């Protein structure tokens, strides 16, 4: 996602209580960030925040942590979350490669990965958010039997991710090569998803459960 540098982004993030600028400080005590004991779900690569805002509004009994790399993107999402007045979201800037430094054992109940970069070249595949290198990190903080919900437009990433999940001890509970014709009724469309839908590209989707 290419965005022009926004000089207001960092100060805006630092003064907004919904943004956790130093997420490592919350390791093992994310419940304190929400002031309740509700289960916490995680979205990796949240982009402009449409998905997390909608899902959090629909599920007030859950808490959501949304992560993205760039301040420019975080600031846009943060504005959306703030204006929606939804209280069960916290958002943090983070390189996902360091995600296991931020959450403790059994701290997260579900992960959403929506339209991550497919990194098609062989030498870059280790950067995929579904690669075994990343799944191994997620397992450090996912509760037993929790799920990862993964959506993509990219066929090769999807097929190879099926192997990554199985290799890391996940069971594929649900999968479809055409989400919008599958009858699955809990989908929330993301910004990238709506672009791909307009182009007539099928959305691939799976739910992987930690055994
Ligand atoms: C293709 S966009 C998808 C955005 C959104 N999930 C959607 O479906 O509309 C991918 C997002 O993931 C973020 N991202 C990619 N790699 C990341 C990483 N290693 N750490 C943190 N964020 C990352 C990007 O900044 C971008 O906002």
């Amino acid at each position: 996602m290419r965005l022009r540098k926004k000089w207001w982004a960092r100060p805006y993030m630092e003064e907004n209580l919904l943004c956790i600028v130093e997420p490592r400080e919350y390791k093992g005590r994310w419940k304190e960030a929400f002031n309740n004991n509700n289960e916490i779900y995680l979205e990796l690569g949240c982009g402009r925040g449409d998905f997390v805002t909608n899902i959090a509004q629909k599920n007030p009994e859950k808490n959501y942590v949304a992560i993205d790399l760039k301040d420019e993107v975080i600031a846009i999402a943060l504005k959306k979350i703030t204006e929606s007045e939804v209280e069960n979201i916290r958002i943090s800037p983070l390189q996902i490669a360091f995600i296991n430094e931020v959450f403790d054992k059994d701290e997260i109940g579900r992960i959403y990965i929506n339209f991550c970069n497919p990194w098609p070249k062989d030498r870059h595949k280790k950067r995929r958010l579904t690669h075994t290198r990343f799944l191994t990190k997620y397992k450090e903080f996912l509760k037993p039997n929790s799920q990862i919900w993964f959506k993509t437009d990219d066929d090769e990433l999807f097929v190879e991710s099926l192997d990554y999940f199985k290799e890391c001890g996940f069971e594929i509970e649900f999968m479809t090569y055409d989400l919008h014709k599958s009858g699955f009724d809990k989908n929330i469309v993301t910004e990238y998803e709506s672009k791909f839908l307009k182009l007539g590209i099928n959305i691939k989707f799976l739910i992987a459960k930690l055994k």
Side-chain angles (χ1 to χ4, degrees):
M1 189 176 294
R2 280 167 202 268
L3 285 176
R4 212 178 287 164
K5 180 102 187 140
K6 290 184 174 52
W7 298 105
W8 54 269
R10 217 1 104 141
Y12 176 64
M13 288 159 59
E14 282 171 352
E15 76 185 16
N16 192 314
L17 295 177
L18 301 182
C19 186
I20 308 288
V21 180
E22 301 291 348
R24 287 174 182 84
E25 291 179 3
Y26 278 83
K27 184 167 182 173
R29 52 187 201 91
W30 276 93
K31 285 181 188 316
E32 290 175 29
F34 293 95
N35 289 317
N36 63 43
N37 287 325
N38 293 349
E39 192 170 37
I40 302 173
Y41 288 178
L42 175 65
E43 188 194 3
L44 299 176
C46 64
R48 292 166 184 250
D50 273 4
F51 175 84
V52 76
T53 305
N54 288 341
I55 202 167
Q57 272 169 336
K58 289 196 168 86
N59 298 281
E61 76 292 352
K62 302 287 182 199
N63 292 323
Y64 294 85
V65 177
I67 303 281
D68 207 287
L69 195 53
K70 300 173 196 155
D71 284 7
E72 285 68 30
V73 180
I74 293 268
I76 293 171
L78 184 56
K79 231 173 164 197
K80 193 170 293 167
I81 295 163
T82 307
E83 285 164 6
S84 74
E85 296 184 0
V86 63
E87 289 177 358
N88 52 336
I89 306 175
R90 299 293 178 269
I91 186 165
S92 281
L94 185 79
Q95 162 57 260
I96 292 162
F98 301 118
I99 194 79
N100 54 332
E101 297 177 14
V102 164
F103 299 104
D104 218 345
K105 192 173 181 310
D106 296 343
E107 204 161 22
I108 293 296
R110 183 180 293 173
I111 296 178
Y112 296 97
I113 302 172
N114 296 321
F115 302 93
C116 59
N117 190 322
W119 295 111
K121 290 186 184 156
D122 276 343
R123 67 177 189 278
H124 291 151
K125 284 183 180 174
K126 282 187 174 168
R127 299 180 191 177
R128 292 170 165 176
L129 297 186
T130 53
H131 192 274
T132 52
R133 197 169 69 104
F134 280 84
L135 296 182
T136 306
K137 291 178 198 265
Y138 308 153
K139 282 168 68 176
E140 290 181 31
F141 56 78
L142 274 175
K143 287 183 185 176
N145 298 319
S146 53
Q147 298 169 331
I148 298 182
W149 291 31
F150 168 54
K151 283 194 275 195
T152 181
D153 57 301
D154 191 280
D155 288 313
E156 189 181 285
L157 170 65
F158 188 70
V159 170
E160 293 181 6
S161 295
L162 286 168
D163 290 337
Y164 301 151
F165 280 110
K166 287 175 197 161
E167 206 177 307
C168 280
F170 288 82
E171 181 187 334
I172 304 301
E173 275 202 327
F174 179 83
M175 63 166 278
T176 172
Y177 287 92
D178 191 352
L179 172 58
H180 291 265
K181 289 208 180 104
S182 69
F184 185 81
D185 62 2
K186 293 189 184 70
N187 188 46
I188 292 179
V189 176
T190 78
E191 292 116 27
Y192 271 68
E193 187 169 354
S194 50
K195 286 184 200 167
F196 292 128
L197 287 171
K198 278 182 198 143
L199 295 171
I201 296 171
N202 289 355
I203 307 302
K204 275 62 71 176
F205 171 63
L206 65 80
I207 297 176
K209 184 177 172 185
L210 193 53
K211 283 194 259 183

